[in-house]
Amino acid sequence: MSRTTYTLVIRETEPAEGIVAEVRSDGTIEESTSVAYADYGLAAVRDDWVPDERRTEVTADVTTTRLQTERDGEGFSFRLLGDGETLADQRLTDDEWNVVSVE
């Protein structure tokens, strides 16, 4: 096996209806998942502001990768797993991204 550099990229969809997380390697999207705010009773409330894309880069020698998403309290966690172990972890809070409950 050889070491590979993976980039976990998290960004908001256009229009602001959810979040997309991607795992990239050598310019190729290896895995991706999306979260719709409406599925969690949430909505983005803001004027002319878009949260910055988040990137986390990690180099690992693994045979399998998996992208895991979880809603925890008042935020979302995105975790890149390699051979079952956490390689990268990002948590986005509702406050940071100006997302509120609409239920």
Side-chain angles (χ1 to χ4, degrees), residues 5-84:
T5 299
Y6 299 97
T7 306
L8 174 59
V9 179
I10 302 169
R11 60 183 167 75
E12 191 170 64
T13 61
E14 182 64 42
E17 295 177 349
I19 301 168
V20 173
E22 299 170 339
V23 176
R24 298 178 185 172
S25 174
D26 295 326
T28 302
I29 297 173
E30 301 286 331
E31 294 189 48
S32 70
T33 188
S34 61
V35 174
Y37 294 142
D39 290 348
Y40 295 89
L42 302 170
V45 179
R46 55 180 101 99
D47 294 319
D48 298 328
W49 177 81
V50 176
D52 291 331
E53 176 179 277
R54 295 215 183 160
R55 290 176 168 260
T56 304
E57 193 171 280
V58 62
T59 301
D61 187 4
V62 296
T63 55
T64 62
T65 59
R66 191 176 81 176
L67 187 55
Q68 191 176 63
T69 305
E70 178 181 334
R71 174 79 178 158
D72 57 349
E74 295 184 353
F76 292 96
S77 290
F78 297 89
R79 197 169 291 113
L80 171 59
L81 303 176
D83 293 341

